[in-house]
Amino acid sequence: AFLEAAAVWRLRAGGASAVATIASTTDFLRAAAVVDTTAVVSVIRSGRRVAHLKIEAQQGDDGSRVVAVAYGSWFVDVDL
């Protein structure tokens, strides 16, 4: 839920007035400690209606410990 929420926030910050998840896959790479976790969202491709994103959950002061990665597609409605 954390990684999907980060994706939605990224799309909304980019101007999308409505966002809906089409598909999302999460790979858990290692056990996550109970510490601050940062989500880093990368836009792979963004069209008029669909955006494809990669989201990484990172831990550590420098973000060097990636604990999970998610890939997904979202429907976006952008106000023009």
Side-chain angles (χ1 to χ4, degrees):
F2 171 64
L3 297 179
E4 286 188 34
V8 170
W9 289 330
R10 168 60 178 85
L11 293 170
R12 294 295 300 263
S17 60
V19 178
T21 304
I22 297 170
S24 179
T25 302
T26 303
D27 295 322
F28 298 96
L29 306 176
R30 59 179 51 106
V34 183
V35 297
D36 290 340
T37 304
T38 304
V40 177
V41 181
S42 303
V43 178
I44 297 171
R45 182 176 187 282
S46 184
R48 284 188 276 180
R49 294 286 180 211
V50 177
H52 303 278
L53 306 177
K54 173 186 175 185
I55 311 99
E56 290 184 348
Q58 300 178 348
Q59 292 184 333
D61 293 335
D62 59 352
S64 61
R65 181 176 159 90
V66 178
V67 295
V69 62
Y71 295 92
S73 302
W74 281 264
F75 170 79
V76 293
D77 189 10
V78 179
D79 292 332
L80 298 176

